Amino acid sequence: MDDELLNKPYEPAAVEAKWYDRWLEKRYFHAEIDPDKEPFCIVIPPPNITGSLHMGHALNNSLQDFITRRKRMQGYSALWLPGYDHAGIATQNVVERVLAGEGVTRQELGREKFVERVWEWKAKYGDAIIGQLKRLGCSCDWDRERFTMDERYAVSVREEFVRYYEEGLLYRDYYIVNWCPRCLTALSDIEVEHEEVSGNLWYIRYDLEENGEPIYVATTRPETMLGDTALAVNPEDTRYGHLVGKRAILPLVGRRLPIIADEIVDTDFGTGVVKVTPAHDPNDFEMGRRHGLEEINILTPDAHVNEKVGKYEGLDRYEARHQVVKDLEAMGYIDRIEPHLHSVGHCYRCHTVIEPYLSLQWFVRMKSLADVAIKAVEDGRIAFTPERWARIYFDWMYNIRDWCVSRQLWWGHRIPAWYCNDCGEILVSREDPTACPCGGELRQDPDVLDTWFSSGLWPFATMGWPERTADLDYFYPTSVLVTAFDIIFFWVARMIVNGLHFTGDVPFREVFITALVRDESGKKMSKSVGNVIDPLEVIDQFGTDSLRFTLGNIAVPGRDVFLSEERIEGSRHFCNKIWNACRLVLRNLADFHPAEVDPAGLELKLADRWILSALQRAIYKVDDSSDAYNYSEVSRALHDFFWGDFCDWYLELCKEPLYGEDESAKTAVRWVLWTVLDTALRLLHPIMPFITEELWTRLPGTGETLVTAAWPVPDSGYLDAEAEREMGYLQDIITCIRRIRSELRIAPSQKIAAEFLFQDPSIERVARAHMADIVSQARLAEASFVAAVEDPSAYARGIAAGCEIFIPLKGTVSFGDEIKRVEKEIARLEKDAERSRGKLADARFKERAPEAVVSKERDKLAELDLKLAKLREQRELLG
C-alpha cells in the first residue's frame, strides 16, 4: 500500500469512478455459458425509460447486486441481465408535454413523426437511469442489455400475440373497459387506483308505464341515466316482485325500460331498485349481456356527451351531470340527495377519473392460464419471500378476469392485426401481410399492446425466445426475481403465466418481494411532503458504499424500510472505520508473504484463536442470512464482527506481540491479521464493493479483483468454544472496569488500581493467565487478587464473569459520585431482570422456544439477580 493512500482519508468518489470503469473494461460482470459451472440468473425489473433513480430503485437494485455478487464469488456463472422498459403511457405523456412546450400536438404531428420524436427522446434521455444504476455499483452484464422495443424483443412480442390468437386465447370484442379520457386509452383493472371520494346519491323518480307508479332509483352518476336500457331488482326482494316484467319510462329521454330481476342487485343499496346502463358500468354490462339489453354509449372518448342524447351533446361529463340534475329538479324527478362516500377509480398515470366505457378491444382469456400459474405456486415450484405475498397473488389469480391488452396509444408494440376493407377478414400474422386473400385492401389495427403484455415475456424474451438460444438453455428458468410488492399483479403474475405457457417451465424459482422505503418517521416519501431522499445526492455526499450498507442494514424482509440521512451518515462512519483499520494493518504487512507461512506451525494465543473462531461464526451467520434474503442480519453480523470484534478488541489486543521482539509471535499475529482482513473484505464485498476492492487488492498475496474472488467457506477447525468462553470472561471484566471509569468520569490517561475477588477458580485461572491484557485494556496501574476487602464502602464495586471488582475510591473519585453510579447500575440491571422475568413468565415463550434458549434465559436471570444483590449490598455500605 503506497504512502500517498496511507496518508489520505477515504474519498469515495475517486475510488468508485476508478473501480467501476476497470470492472467494465475487464468485463468481470459478463456471464459465460460454462457447463462446468452451475448457472445463476436474475433479470432486472426493467426501469422505465422516463425514470430516474429513486430510493425504491436503489433498495431493489442494491439487493439484487448483493445476491449476484455473492453468487459470482461462490463460483456460479452469475448473470444479472439488465434492460429497460418502453413504458407506453408514461413515455407518450412525457413526449406530449415536450411537444406542448413547442406548441404542437401529437395529432398535428401525425403518428409516424410522433413515434420518431419518441425514439429521439429515448436516445437522448431514455437510458439515463442505466448510468445511474452504474453509479450504484450494479454488476449487471451490460453486454446483454435489452430494451422492450428493440428489434429482437419485438419479434418475441409478436410471437406471443400470434400464438395466443392461434390458440383461441386472444379475442376482440366490445366490452366495458376502464377508460382514461385524458390518456384516451383503455386500462386494465390493476392500472386503476381507487380512492374514497365524497359524492352524492341522487334519488331519481322513474314512472311505471302502465299506471305512473313512482319507482325511486339511487345513483352516484346521474348523467349516465341517458344511456339506461333497463331497471333491475333482486328476485328475492318481495318489495318489488310485482314490477318484474313491466316497463318504466326514462325521464328526460322517454325511453321504455324493461324491469328485470337479477341476483347481482344489492337490496341494501339505495331503494333496492337500480338503473341498468350496460355501456357505462361493468356490473350493468354483465347484466345486460345476460338479459340481452341494448348497449348505448353516450360518451365520446374524451368524456363529452355524444350525439345520441340530443340537447346534452358536447357537454363534458361533469357539465352534463349538472345539467341533467338541474333539468330533473325542474321537472320534479329528484326525490332527495344524500351525501355518499364511495370508491372512485383514477388513472394510475395521470390521475384522471376513469370512465367505465364500452369499447372494441383485444382481450386475453385468463382463466385456464391462471389455473396453471396458481398450481405452480401451490406446489412449490415458485416460492415467495416473505411467504405472505403468495396469498396476495392467489387472491388476485383466483378472481382473475380477462385481460384487456389493447391500448389507444401510438408508442408501443403495434397490434399485429389487419382488417380487410372489402370482406372484413381479420388477419393476425408474424409477418406484415400485403393484401387480403380476397385481394382487398388491408388496414392495420391502430392500437398498441399494453406495456405489461411485452414486459410479461422479460425473463425469456431477453434470452432470445422464441428461438431456442444457448442463453435460454443455460440460464432459464432464472433463479430469483427481486421486485416490489406493487407489481405482483402487473408483472409477476403475468411473467408466471407467460413463462409456463410458452416455455413449459416457471420463469423463476423464487420471488423476493422488497419493502417500501419510508422516511424515518414511517411516512411514505413524497415530493409534495418534502421528505424525499435522493439517492444520487446521497451518493455525492456520503459515497455509494454508505448508501448500500444502510439499505442492507434496514432491509428486514416483510417490513417497510425507514430511512434517514443520519443512518447513512452512520454507515459513512463504518466506511471510515474499515478504511482506517485496514491502513493500520497494511502498514504492518508491507513485507509479509502469506504463502510462506504454514498456519499449522503457528503458536496462536487466546486472542488469535478467539478472533479466528468469531470469524467462522460470522461466515456462518452471513451465509444463513443471505440465503434467507435477510440483509439486515447480514449487515449487522458484518458490522458487529468488523467494528466490534476485530477493531475494538483484536486490533488492541494484538499490538503488544505485533510490536514486540518475539518474531514467532509477530508472524502469528500478522498471519491472523491478514487472514481476518482477507476474509472480512470478501464478506463485505457484495454490499460494499468499492471500498473493499480498493483495500483487498492492496493486501499481499491476494489477486486483481474481489469481483471474481472466492467466497469464504467456514473452517470448523477454527471454531473454538473454549477460546470464545475465556475471551468472554476477559471482555466482561475489562468492560466492567471501563464502565466504572466512564461513570465516575475517570480520565483515560489516569491509571487506577483494581482488586479482584473471584468465586470460580477456573475463571480466576483465565484472568491470572491474561492479566496483562486486562491491565493494558482497562488502563490499570496495579491489579491484585484478594479473598476479601476490609471496608467495601471505600471502593467502587462491579461484578462481571463471576468476579467482584473493587476500585479504591480514595484519591480517585468522591463517594457521592460512586453512590450515583451504583444507583444507576442497579436501575439498569433491574430493567434487564424485569424483562427477563417477563419472558420466562410467558407461556408461549416456554412452549415455542428451544429448551436451550429457555435455559440460557434462566441462567441470565440468575446472574442478573446475583449482580443486583451485590450492588444493593454495596449501596447500603455507602450509606
Side-chain angles (χ1 to χ4, degrees):
M1 187 172 183
D2 56 67
D3 290 338
E4 183 182 357
L5 188 67
L6 275 173
N7 295 326
K8 286 184 178 180
Y10 181 50
E11 297 174 358
V15 169
E16 290 163 14
K18 176 182 82 172
W19 282 112
Y20 202 87
D21 287 345
R22 186 171 303 179
W23 292 334
L24 293 180
E25 177 190 341
K26 296 286 189 177
R27 299 180 73 231
Y28 290 137
F29 306 153
H30 181 67
E32 297 286 354
I33 295 172
D34 186 345
D36 295 329
K37 287 186 175 182
E38 187 176 344
F40 177 85
C41 181
I42 291 180
V43 290
I44 198 171
N48 293 350
I49 58 173
T50 57
S52 61
L53 193 71
H54 58 64
M55 205 52 84
H57 289 131
L59 172 66
N60 186 278
N61 288 285
S62 292
L63 292 170
Q64 290 178 79
D65 202 33
F66 299 168
I67 295 167
T68 305
R69 284 181 179 271
R70 175 170 171 259
K71 290 295 183 181
R72 190 181 290 120
M73 294 174 74
Q74 286 180 318
Y76 291 83
S77 184
L79 168 61
W80 184 12
L81 196 151
Y84 43 112
D85 192 276
H86 66 280
I89 293 177
T91 305
Q92 180 156 316
N93 283 345
V94 167
V95 177
E96 285 194 66
R97 285 198 294 271
V98 172
L99 291 175
E102 301 171 5
V104 182
T105 67
R106 68 178 168 97
Q107 289 79 9
E108 291 170 340
L109 202 60
R111 182 170 192 147
E112 186 176 342
K113 291 292 185 184
F114 176 77
V115 172
E116 286 178 9
R117 284 295 301 268
V118 180
W119 278 105
E120 289 172 8
W121 184 92
K122 183 261 176 191
K124 189 172 183 181
Y125 302 107
D127 58 357
I129 197 167
I130 298 298
Q132 293 165 357
L133 290 173
K134 291 178 178 179
R135 283 205 68 191
L136 190 62
C138 295
S139 64
C140 299
D141 186 345
W142 299 109
D143 296 339
R144 287 183 168 93
E145 182 182 319
R146 298 300 304 274
F147 176 49
T148 55
M149 287 276 286
D150 66 38
E151 289 184 15
R152 287 177 59 207
Y153 205 96
V155 171
S156 305
V157 175
R158 181 174 282 202
E159 181 68 21
E160 175 189 18
F161 189 93
V162 173
R163 282 204 199 178
Y164 273 142
Y165 184 78
E166 291 173 344
E167 294 165 356
L169 292 170
L170 193 66
Y171 65 95
R172 189 172 185 244
D173 196 5
Y174 281 97
Y175 207 85
I176 278 284
V177 296
N178 305 297
W179 184 266
C180 176
R182 157 65 182 79
C183 298
L184 296 178
T185 185
L187 302 172
S188 67
D189 290 344
I190 55 176
E191 291 172 312
V192 177
E193 295 177 345
H194 291 272
E195 295 180 8
E196 291 292 315
V197 174
S198 295
N200 290 319
L201 264 183
W202 286 270
Y203 286 80
I204 303 172
R205 192 186 88 226
Y206 291 63
D207 294 333
L208 198 63
E209 181 182 43
E210 65 181 34
N211 59 13
E213 179 186 342
I215 306 166
Y216 295 100
V217 176
T219 179
T220 60
R221 300 159 66 218
E223 72 280 6
T224 63
M225 69 179 291
L226 302 172
D228 286 357
T229 56
L231 296 181
V233 299
N234 191 295
E236 302 298 321
D237 193 338
T238 57
R239 293 174 295 173
Y240 304 115
H242 68 287
L243 297 177
V244 177
K246 298 180 180 180
R247 290 182 180 273
I249 302 300
L250 176 62
L252 303 182
V253 178
R255 187 179 303 131
R256 298 170 68 240
L257 307 178
I259 302 174
I260 61 175
D262 196 287
E263 292 180 352
I264 199 173
V265 177
D266 181 358
T267 58
D268 295 327
F269 178 77
T271 64
V273 183
V274 299
K275 56 192 280 305
V276 184
T277 320
H280 293 284
D281 182 274
N283 290 329
D284 291 4
F285 175 79
E286 298 291 349
M287 204 184 326
R289 287 287 169 101
R290 286 194 293 273
H291 294 272
L293 301 177
E294 184 181 3
E295 297 163 351
I296 302 174
N297 183 359
I298 66 164
L299 294 177
T300 61
D302 62 352
H304 287 70
V305 177
N306 63 25
E307 75 287 351
K308 295 180 182 177
V309 281
K311 64 177 282 189
Y312 304 104
E313 182 181 355
L315 294 178
D316 167 82
R317 55 182 166 169
Y318 299 118
E319 294 171 345
R321 177 178 299 175
H322 174 76
Q323 191 60 49
V324 164
V325 170
K326 184 178 178 182
D327 290 348
L328 288 170
E329 287 178 327
M331 298 171 68
Y333 282 105
I334 296 291
D335 179 63
R336 65 187 187 275
I337 303 171
E338 296 177 349
H340 181 65
L341 186 67
H342 61 130
S343 180
V344 176
H346 294 73
C347 174
Y348 80 115
R349 279 297 175 192
C350 69
H351 209 62
T352 301
V353 173
I354 64 100
E355 193 68 41
Y357 191 73
L358 186 64
S359 179
L360 185 58
Q361 303 286 347
W362 285 94
F363 296 87
V364 176
R365 303 182 199 277
M366 293 301 298
K367 182 65 173 67
S368 61
L369 296 168
D371 288 344
V372 177
I374 288 168
K375 193 172 187 304
V377 178
E378 285 180 335
D379 64 20
R381 281 177 287 158
I382 298 174
F384 278 79
T385 300
E387 289 183 12
R388 74 169 189 272
W389 292 111
R391 294 195 298 273
I392 308 298
Y393 169 83
F394 287 136
D395 286 345
W396 187 67
M397 295 295 273
Y398 281 129
N399 297 288
I400 202 163
R401 295 170 56 182
D402 285 357
W403 175 19
C404 176
V405 297
S406 45
R407 297 290 181 271
Q408 290 63 53
L409 303 170
W410 287 354
W411 172 244
H413 292 277
R414 194 163 176 181
I415 291 175
W418 288 260
Y419 311 107
C420 179
N421 291 333
D422 293 348
C423 70
E425 179 72 17
I426 299 177
L427 301 179
V428 172
S429 174
R430 291 174 177 81
E431 304 294 334
D432 291 3
T434 55
C436 180
C438 77
E441 185 181 8
L442 295 174
R443 56 186 169 82
Q444 187 176 358
D445 194 307
D447 294 346
V448 301
L449 289 162
D450 178 13
T451 296
W452 303 103
F453 189 83
S454 52
S455 61
L457 302 174
W458 189 249
F460 49 98
T462 49
M463 298 184 197
W465 182 88
E467 292 180 34
R468 196 73 212 180
T469 63
D471 271 4
L472 200 59
D473 284 339
Y474 185 70
F475 288 110
Y476 187 88
T478 67
S479 307
V480 59
L481 176 75
V482 182
T483 190
F485 67 88
D486 55 350
I487 54 175
I488 291 176
F489 310 140
F490 283 106
W491 191 47
V492 177
R494 285 163 178 166
M495 285 189 289
I496 295 173
V497 163
N498 284 336
L500 289 163
H501 188 73
F502 292 118
T503 74
D505 205 344
V506 296
F508 26 74
R509 307 294 188 196
E510 295 180 82
V511 181
F512 172 31
I513 300 296
T514 60
L516 182 68
V517 181
R518 298 182 180 274
D519 70 10
E520 59 187 320
S521 61
K523 295 177 182 175
K524 186 175 180 179
M525 289 190 181
S526 165
K527 288 181 180 178
S528 60
V529 176
N531 62 347
V532 171
I533 300 176
D534 185 334
L536 297 174
E537 291 178 3
V538 167
I539 288 171
D540 288 339
Q541 184 177 357
F542 298 108
T544 300
D545 287 331
S546 299
L547 173 61
R548 287 169 62 111
F549 187 82
T550 304
L551 292 172
N553 193 35
I554 59 181
V556 180
R559 294 188 202 166
D560 284 346
V561 169
F562 293 4
L563 184 65
S564 66
E565 285 200 1
E566 287 76 16
R567 284 181 177 271
I568 301 166
E569 187 175 10
S571 296
R572 181 68 169 89
H573 294 324
F574 185 42
C575 287
N576 290 339
K577 191 73 172 180
I578 294 169
W579 184 259
N580 292 330
C582 289
R583 290 164 68 193
L584 171 67
V585 174
L586 288 168
R587 283 194 185 100
N588 288 280
L589 297 180
D591 58 348
F592 181 70
H593 304 288
E596 297 175 1
V597 177
D598 177 12
L602 297 176
E603 185 178 341
L604 300 178
K605 306 295 185 186
L606 173 62
D608 304 326
R609 291 161 45 218
W610 165 75
I611 196 65
L612 291 172
S613 186
L615 179 63
Q616 309 316 306
R617 297 205 185 278
I619 299 171
Y620 282 120
K621 181 65 175 177
V622 168
D623 278 340
D624 290 345
S625 300
S626 296
D627 291 342
Y629 305 120
N630 191 339
Y631 284 95
S632 178
E633 287 298 320
V634 171
S635 302
R636 187 172 294 110
L638 291 170
H639 183 278
D640 290 351
F641 173 79
F642 198 93
W643 193 315
D645 295 342
F646 184 61
C647 295
D648 286 352
W649 288 101
Y650 186 75
L651 284 185
E652 296 302 320
L653 291 168
C654 77
K655 285 179 180 177
E656 183 178 342
L658 185 62
Y659 300 127
E661 301 298 323
D662 186 336
E663 288 300 322
S664 63
K666 184 181 295 188
T667 298
V669 166
R670 294 174 85 192
W671 180 83
V672 171
L673 286 169
W674 178 87
T675 299
V676 171
L677 204 55
D678 170 58
T679 305
L681 292 174
R682 291 174 195 251
L683 292 172
L684 284 161
H685 180 72
I687 297 180
M688 308 173 83
F690 293 106
I691 191 171
T692 53
E693 184 84 325
E694 181 69 44
L695 294 166
W696 185 82
T697 52
R698 295 174 180 277
L699 267 179
T702 52
E704 67 174 30
T705 181
L706 261 174
V707 176
T708 55
W711 181 254
V713 176
D715 185 344
S716 60
Y718 284 112
L719 288 175
D720 193 330
E722 181 183 50
E724 292 177 20
R725 184 175 60 255
E726 292 184 355
M727 188 66 192
Y729 298 152
L730 301 185
Q731 288 174 310
D732 286 350
I733 292 168
I734 294 166
T735 300
C736 182
I737 299 171
R738 286 175 174 173
R739 186 185 302 122
I740 293 172
R741 292 182 64 111
S742 173
E743 291 171 352
L744 295 180
R745 298 182 180 86
I746 299 173
S749 59
Q750 181 182 348
K751 292 190 175 184
I752 59 176
E755 297 177 14
F756 299 92
L757 195 163
F758 283 91
Q759 304 297 325
D760 187 329
S762 63
I763 299 176
E764 182 175 353
R765 281 195 297 272
V766 174
R768 286 182 180 275
H770 300 281
M771 185 49 67
D773 290 329
I774 295 174
V775 168
S776 66
Q777 299 305 306
R779 306 287 294 160
L780 300 181
E782 57 180 294
S784 57
F785 293 82
V786 298
V789 292
E790 291 183 8
D791 181 9
S793 66
Y795 296 85
R797 186 184 190 185
I799 302 166
C803 170
E804 292 184 66
I805 303 163
F806 296 92
I807 309 294
L809 294 175
K810 188 176 180 180
T812 307
V813 293
S814 71
F815 281 84
D817 286 343
E818 172 59 1
I819 289 172
K820 289 178 184 178
R821 186 195 71 80
V822 171
E823 289 177 344
K824 181 179 177 182
E825 182 69 358
I826 288 172
R828 183 182 72 83
L829 292 174
E830 282 177 340
K831 283 184 181 178
D832 290 346
E834 183 180 355
R835 194 178 300 116
S836 183
R837 280 195 185 85
K839 191 179 285 188
L840 289 169
D842 187 344
R844 289 175 300 177
F845 170 70
K846 289 190 282 190
E847 287 171 7
R848 297 176 185 177
E851 179 54 38
V853 173
V854 176
S855 178
K856 186 175 180 180
E857 193 65 34
R858 289 196 190 99
D859 292 344
K860 174 183 171 183
L861 180 58
E863 185 178 353
L864 287 167
D865 285 340
L866 175 63
K867 288 182 178 180
L868 281 166
K870 296 288 186 181
L871 286 171
R872 286 171 182 144
E873 178 187 333
Q874 179 73 1
R875 176 64 187 86
E876 288 180 13
L877 290 170
L878 290 169

